[in-house]
Amino acid sequence: MKTRYTFGGDEHIFVEVDEEMSLDAFFKSLTMSNAVRAADLPGVTEICPGNASFQVRFDPEVMHPDAMMSAIKDLETQAEAAEDRLTTRIVEVPVYYKDPWTQETLMRFRERHQDPDATDLEYAARINGYDSVDDFIVAHHSAPWFVSMVGFVSGLPFLYQLVARDRQIEVPKYLRPRTDTPKQTVGYGGCFTAIYSVRGAGGYQMFGITPMTIYDPRQEVSYLKDFMVFFRPGDIVKFAPIDRAEYDRVLAGVADGTWQPRIAEVEFDLDAFKADMTGTNAKLMEALNDA
């Protein structure tokens, strides 16, 4: 990895840790952005983390851009020496795969898709070498995912699959974006799963939908009263397949405040994960048994 530093106008510095997404790049980026925050540099007004990068917004009247650039570069050595370990939380997210709403939507936009004669799940299963859609769905929910960034639109998490690279699901985005995507669609583009926090345009393949509200600007949802955005970088997610009855039950529970997502605190060690991915994932998911 070779970090690249660039100015973005007079008020921004963009730090790209690597051109290629990986957990190593993500951890270094997260550690560096946390170090910038902890350093409390004069003039910094915002730090925006990305998948393998971050951007710092600052007031050039408070600190000269060259001085800010130098201060951020100095923190890279500190980040490289830090342990790739963090205390975080694992969250179980229920998903209704093959739901009627994303199925209806995807059929309205087949002329924009690589395979107009197949559904998004059928296409994704085929190009990833799975014998059936059901086998592909199992591959999607059987291993946990890392939230590598939140953004693009408010509250939208991007998630990176915690499996060996040769086992990662990869699916291209639509040839041309749709003008509609149901709220809380579980989508896929490149090597990332995303959960659409709001209804709107989109280009990711649509696999299902979650009844779990993840963005609430009114902060009326019981578990979003402290902050309107549920996810944060570093969260670990376990998708749990559900049927229509469970979808309706959770949706009603979110609305009346009786449903809460299952959450457990966990430790994630990147070196331990690389040494034993299956064992590490099993331990992470076991933490939800007591949640």
Side-chain angles (χ1 to χ4, degrees):
M1 291 184 289
K2 182 173 176 56
T3 306
R4 184 167 64 94
Y5 298 82
T6 54
F7 287 111
D10 296 332
E11 301 180 353
H12 297 84
I13 290 176
F14 178 64
V15 182
E16 183 183 62
V17 173
D18 199 352
E19 293 182 348
E20 182 176 295
M21 174 59 190
S22 67
L23 286 177
D24 293 281
F26 164 75
F27 263 86
K28 183 175 178 180
S29 173
L30 181 67
T31 303
M32 282 191 70
S33 61
N34 286 339
V36 173
R37 186 174 292 107
D40 196 22
L41 299 172
V44 171
T45 58
E46 187 176 4
I47 302 167
C48 183
N51 289 317
S53 62
F54 64 98
Q55 183 163 290
V56 178
R57 184 180 184 184
F58 63 100
D59 183 349
E61 299 294 330
V62 176
M63 181 180 278
H64 190 279
D66 291 338
M68 181 62 72
M69 178 70 85
S70 178
I72 294 174
K73 285 183 176 180
D74 287 344
L75 295 171
E76 183 173 358
T77 303
Q78 178 180 327
E80 289 175 337
E83 292 184 328
D84 291 331
R85 179 187 302 172
L86 59 84
T87 300
T88 184
R89 58 180 183 169
I90 184 168
V91 183
E92 184 176 88
V93 175
V95 180
Y96 181 15
Y97 292 96
K98 296 190 287 187
D99 66 284
W101 306 285
T102 59
Q103 293 293 303
E104 185 277 331
T105 303
L106 69 88
M107 295 309 295
R108 284 192 278 124
F109 295 96
R110 297 325 286 164
E111 81 283 0
R112 306 182 183 209
H113 195 272
Q114 292 86 348
D115 189 346
D117 297 323
T119 66
D120 292 7
L121 275 167
E122 289 169 344
Y123 170 70
R126 177 172 59 80
I127 67 171
N128 280 276
Y130 289 91
D131 292 333
S132 69
V133 165
D134 288 341
D135 288 345
F136 177 79
I137 289 173
V138 170
H140 187 261
H141 69 68
S142 59
W145 298 74
F146 220 104
V147 177
S148 53
M149 65 169 280
V150 179
F152 186 69
V153 297
S154 298
L156 187 155
F158 289 82
L159 301 103
Y160 189 76
Q161 197 175 22
L162 290 176
V163 296
R165 183 168 289 255
D166 61 358
R167 287 186 52 209
Q168 283 186 334
I169 297 167
E170 292 194 16
V171 190
K173 296 188 287 185
Y174 274 42
L175 298 174
R176 289 185 293 125
R178 300 176 303 273
T179 55
D180 191 19
T181 307
K183 177 183 176 183
Q184 291 163 204
T185 289
V186 176
Y188 213 99
C191 67
F192 293 103
T193 269
I195 304 174
Y196 285 75
S197 52
V198 297
R199 184 179 182 181
Y204 277 29
Q205 310 283 338
M206 296 185 288
F207 294 168
I209 198 165
T210 177
M212 176 180 163
T213 299
I214 62 170
Y215 171 63
D216 177 21
R218 296 178 181 273
Q219 294 184 252
E220 295 174 343
V221 173
S222 61
Y223 54 85
L224 293 173
K225 291 189 179 299
D226 291 337
F227 191 50
M228 66 182 75
V229 173
F230 181 80
F231 288 108
R232 54 192 184 227
D235 279 344
I236 295 172
V237 168
K238 169 68 174 70
F239 291 121
I242 59 173
D243 59 16
R244 175 62 187 267
E246 181 66 4
Y247 176 89
D248 291 341
R249 188 191 72 79
V250 174
L251 199 65
V254 172
D256 65 20
T258 58
W259 186 87
Q260 296 280 325
R262 297 176 69 197
I263 301 173
E265 183 176 294
V266 292
E267 299 287 331
F268 184 85
D269 185 303
L270 183 57
D271 291 334
F273 171 75
K274 289 178 179 177
D276 181 9
M277 294 184 185
T278 301
T280 300
N281 285 346
K283 187 176 180 180
L284 289 170
M285 292 186 286
E286 284 173 5
L288 286 168
N289 293 338
D290 299 324

